[in-house]
Amino acid sequence: MPGESSPASDRAHGLLHSLLRTFTGVELAETAAYVVLSLGAAFAGSLAAVLLVPLVQPGHTLPFGGALFNARRSVEMQAVIFAASMSVFALVRWQAARLGARLVGRYGMNLRSRVHARLIDAPLTSLADSTSAEIANVLTHNVEVIVQGFSALQQLLIAGVSAAVSLGFAFWVSPPLMLAAPLLAVFGLIASRAYGREQALVCREYVKDMTRLFWHSEDFPRRLRHVRSFEKEDMEKASYGAITARLCHGYRRQLELMASGRLMLELLAAVGIAALFVLAHRWHGIDQSSLIAVCLLLGRLLPYLVSTRQSFQQLRSAAPAFELWQRYMNLDPDRSPVVPSRKTTSSNGLHIERMRLIPPVAGLDVGDLLLVPGELTLISGDSGIGKSSLVDVLAGMMTPEDFAARAGGQPIDFDEYRELVRHGAYVSQNVRPWQHSVRECLLWTAPEATDEMLQSALMDVGLDRRLDGSQHGLDTALHSSSSRLSGGELQRLMLAQVILRQPFLALLDEATSALDAASEIVVLSALKRRLPQTILIVVSHRAGVAAIADQCLNIDNNLVTTVGRKVDLRHAMPSFASPEDCFKS
């Protein structure tokens, strides 16, 4: 139907609109300046092309331009004017290129910063279905594809401005010859739409396969140990090879489609130029100098034909990458408003009267849980039964279905609870430090800490002797082959961060699993001793931890929770430990 747009054009319009919405005010202003510079470069370039005519036909009277192209000037003067216009063209184009490079670099930086900030602020539940490989792709390669698309958009802008100015000059020189312009526009439209649907499909699959490649590449040393232990090296090579083969096919097909589009453009350009000469021959009264000027102006556009086709291809490649980026940007931030009017005190601990959380699917109910600073609460239960979800709620990172608690004798809602525990420390089993050295890792937690404070924390977790044996001490590299720390040593380092943090609430979700049972008790006892104002919650499968616990919370297979304290032997005991083990002093 006339007036109806195709899904492809609607998607392109929506992509362009969304892309423009990502611009900051500074970027919009610089983009406007970039357009003005590009327009100036196009004008100077077209003027220089026309100024070639008096040099090609010296002394010949030109039917256009008046005093600007006075044929009675000397060849030397015409050459000076031409050189000046070309110099202006080169300088303006150079300045536009510098501004464009600054725009592209800043745009990529802003995209990465914004999506990273949104991920940092996103609620944990919204990331439950996202793989770490996809998130890594969004933060790295995926943004690079979008930046390439933005650069392609700049090139299309330059091509469009240059085409408009060149055609304007050509129409001024010889309006009859510009009767070929509609034909050239039809040829360009045909070339721009050729292979478009296949390119879009190839680009979408390319983005998906790149995410799969990230999945194969993440945490590679641990993955390699797993693969070798099962003697599946050949299968892993085949799986990785299949993904790289699809990526190879996708990349090859993109280049083939680009080459096919370039061929079509070049063939159409040849037909268009030939038609122009035929028109000039058939149309009586067209001056030869006008024909030369128009051909020079249109000849300026030939290099843009190839780059335009490539730019369209890069823009199509950026579309699925931008959609993936937008999906993560649309995550709502997890920032609940703080109620400042009520002042609560937590010096005597927090009393959670009731709490219900989902997952697990059936729901987990916890009641009469007293969290006291200086005490250690042990959470136990089978794997997958909801311990980590419970810890997420206790950390204030996930909102429960139902919540009622008291602090300092006053009732509080979950937003107030979240604010009370905001100064916390959460260490899980799989977290590994990403800093370069021991010192950098510890100072990330406490930037003002002295070397003596760092050494003291390392001594508390039993890591001081390991560093004493290193010539670099606190500057020992974490990921160097000569000084790499073991899994247990890395866990000790993360626990040293907790000591330096001095949190109100510390949650250790199997954060001591890489230590042997005896070392686990020693380290947890040291944490309890060094953090007398901290509520310490530990998730562990080992029965020995119950010996130093002040409170045990067990989740049985029927999702029934029982809480036992040293001062109240009437509560039920965890299934793995006897009352004597759990409450011995």
Side-chain angles (χ1 to χ4, degrees):
M1 292 292 292
E4 290 185 356
S5 58
S6 66
S9 62
D10 289 341
R11 188 181 298 112
H13 181 268
L15 173 65
L16 183 60
H17 179 68
S18 300
L19 196 65
L20 290 175
R21 288 178 60 187
T22 63
F23 285 14
T24 63
V26 174
E27 287 170 342
L28 286 173
E30 290 191 343
T31 301
Y34 179 76
V35 172
V36 172
L37 286 173
S38 300
L39 186 62
F43 185 86
S46 297
L47 183 63
V50 176
L51 285 170
L52 271 175
V53 177
L55 294 175
V56 174
Q57 291 184 316
H60 182 76
T61 302
L62 302 178
F64 57 86
L68 182 64
F69 305 109
N70 190 347
R72 287 176 292 183
R73 292 195 185 101
S74 65
V75 172
E76 291 77 11
M77 179 58 67
Q78 296 285 6
V80 169
I81 295 174
F82 168 75
S85 63
M86 280 298 297
S87 298
V88 172
F89 165 67
L91 287 171
V92 175
R93 187 176 61 174
W94 170 73
Q95 187 62 36
R98 292 181 68 232
L99 180 58
R102 187 163 64 246
L103 270 171
V104 170
R106 185 184 293 118
Y107 184 70
M109 177 189 70
N110 288 340
L111 285 183
R112 285 193 174 91
S113 300
R114 290 173 60 188
V115 73
H116 182 264
R118 185 54 57 93
L119 283 166
I120 291 294
D121 292 337
L124 294 178
T125 51
S126 65
L127 301 178
D129 296 327
S130 300
T131 65
S132 59
E134 183 177 80
I135 294 175
N137 186 23
V138 168
L139 294 172
T140 53
H141 176 79
N142 194 73
V143 172
E144 188 64 28
V145 174
I146 301 174
V147 172
Q148 291 175 4
F150 178 70
S151 179
L153 196 61
Q154 284 187 339
Q155 299 306 313
L156 289 173
L157 178 63
I158 293 175
V161 169
S162 299
V165 173
S166 294
L167 292 176
F169 264 82
F171 185 80
W172 170 61
V173 169
S174 179
L177 285 176
M178 290 316 297
L179 291 176
L183 181 63
L184 295 176
V186 171
F187 285 166
L189 183 62
I190 293 173
S192 66
R193 289 185 174 273
Y195 314 109
R197 178 171 297 179
E198 184 180 357
Q199 277 189 336
L201 293 175
V202 169
C203 293
R204 290 179 185 280
E205 288 302 316
Y206 188 83
V207 171
K208 291 179 181 177
D209 284 331
M210 187 58 67
T211 297
R212 297 187 185 102
L213 195 67
F214 269 83
W215 178 78
H216 260 274
S217 307
E218 62 179 347
D219 204 4
F220 189 80
R222 292 178 180 274
R223 185 186 184 96
L224 181 60
R225 291 179 175 89
H226 182 75
V227 169
R228 285 182 176 174
S229 67
F230 282 82
E231 297 182 307
K232 297 295 183 181
E233 292 93 337
D234 292 339
M235 185 176 293
E236 182 72 6
K237 291 176 184 177
S239 177
Y240 188 88
I243 296 175
T244 54
R246 288 197 299 270
L247 284 171
C248 173
H249 170 75
Y251 191 70
R252 173 179 60 82
R253 191 58 187 150
Q254 288 181 44
L255 294 179
E256 288 175 350
L257 292 172
M258 186 173 65
S260 299
R262 183 169 62 241
L263 174 62
M264 178 175 290
L265 279 173
E266 290 169 345
L267 293 176
L268 292 175
V271 172
I273 292 175
L276 188 65
F277 277 101
V278 171
L279 179 64
H281 177 73
R282 296 291 184 184
W283 198 295
H284 299 290
I286 295 180
D287 184 77
Q288 186 178 9
S289 59
S290 298
L291 177 62
I292 293 173
V294 171
C295 288
L296 287 173
L297 287 167
L298 297 182
R300 289 191 67 244
L301 302 180
L302 288 178
Y304 290 111
L305 292 178
V306 176
S307 64
T308 297
R309 181 63 192 176
Q310 183 176 357
S311 296
F312 271 117
Q313 189 271 338
Q314 288 180 333
L315 201 57
R316 289 191 179 99
S317 299
F322 187 72
E323 290 172 1
L324 183 60
W325 180 87
Q326 274 191 309
R327 179 153 63 85
Y328 282 91
M329 282 301 299
N330 289 333
L331 296 175
D332 293 327
D334 185 21
R335 286 288 181 267
S336 300
V338 179
V339 182
S341 58
R342 294 185 56 192
K343 297 214 175 192
T344 57
T345 175
S346 55
S347 59
N348 295 325
L350 300 171
H351 183 201
I352 299 177
E353 298 173 340
R354 69 176 187 278
M355 178 170 62
R356 180 174 177 81
L357 56 141
I358 299 176
V361 177
L364 182 65
D365 292 290
V366 178
D368 197 24
L369 179 62
L370 185 61
L371 303 177
V372 180
E375 292 190 356
L376 187 153
T377 297
L378 171 65
I379 298 178
S380 60
D382 291 339
S383 298
I385 206 165
K387 299 189 301 297
S388 293
S389 297
L390 174 58
V391 171
D392 285 340
V393 172
L394 292 174
M397 297 182 185
M398 191 171 76
T399 304
E401 293 291 312
D402 183 33
F403 183 85
R406 288 181 174 273
Q410 299 181 19
I412 58 172
D413 59 22
F414 190 71
D415 288 338
E416 292 170 311
Y417 170 84
R418 188 201 302 260
E419 186 61 22
L420 285 173
V421 302
R422 186 174 295 279
H423 184 72
Y426 189 154
V427 182
S428 67
Q429 178 181 4
N430 297 321
V431 173
R432 293 292 182 268
W434 54 90
Q435 294 85 2
H436 297 293
S437 67
V438 172
R439 184 192 303 276
E440 185 181 342
C441 179
L442 296 178
L443 290 179
W444 177 83
T445 302
E448 305 300 326
T450 63
D451 283 3
E452 291 75 14
M453 295 169 64
L454 302 184
Q455 293 284 5
S456 176
L458 293 173
M459 185 179 301
D460 288 323
V461 297
L463 197 57
D464 54 320
R465 293 181 181 178
R466 168 66 169 82
L467 297 185
D468 288 343
S470 170
Q471 59 178 342
H472 301 292
L474 288 171
D475 295 313
T476 298
L478 297 179
H479 308 293
S480 170
S481 59
S482 60
S483 60
R484 184 180 293 118
L485 302 183
S486 67
E489 290 169 338
L490 289 175
Q491 286 191 338
R492 291 176 188 267
L493 182 61
M494 302 297 280
L495 296 176
Q497 284 188 334
V498 176
I499 293 176
L500 290 169
R501 168 74 166 163
Q502 293 288 308
F504 172 68
L505 175 66
L507 301 113
L508 311 181
D509 189 358
E510 301 193 49
T512 53
S513 59
L515 304 178
D516 60 77
S519 298
E520 180 180 42
I521 298 300
V522 171
V523 172
L524 290 178
S525 297
L527 259 69
K528 188 177 177 182
R529 184 178 64 256
R530 283 295 307 273
L531 302 173
Q533 303 301 318
T534 297
I535 298 171
L536 190 59
I537 298 177
V538 177
V539 177
S540 178
H541 290 283
R542 290 174 177 162
V545 179
I548 61 172
D550 300 281
Q551 180 174 234
C552 299
L553 188 156
N554 182 58
I555 308 173
D556 66 18
N557 293 330
N558 296 321
L559 298 181
V560 176
T561 61
T562 55
V563 179
R565 293 183 58 81
K566 283 182 179 180
V567 297
D568 190 353
L569 298 181
R570 293 173 296 177
H571 288 289
M573 298 302 102
S575 58
F576 63 80
S578 66
E580 292 77 11
D581 289 333
C582 190
F583 300 129
K584 72 179 180 179
S585 56

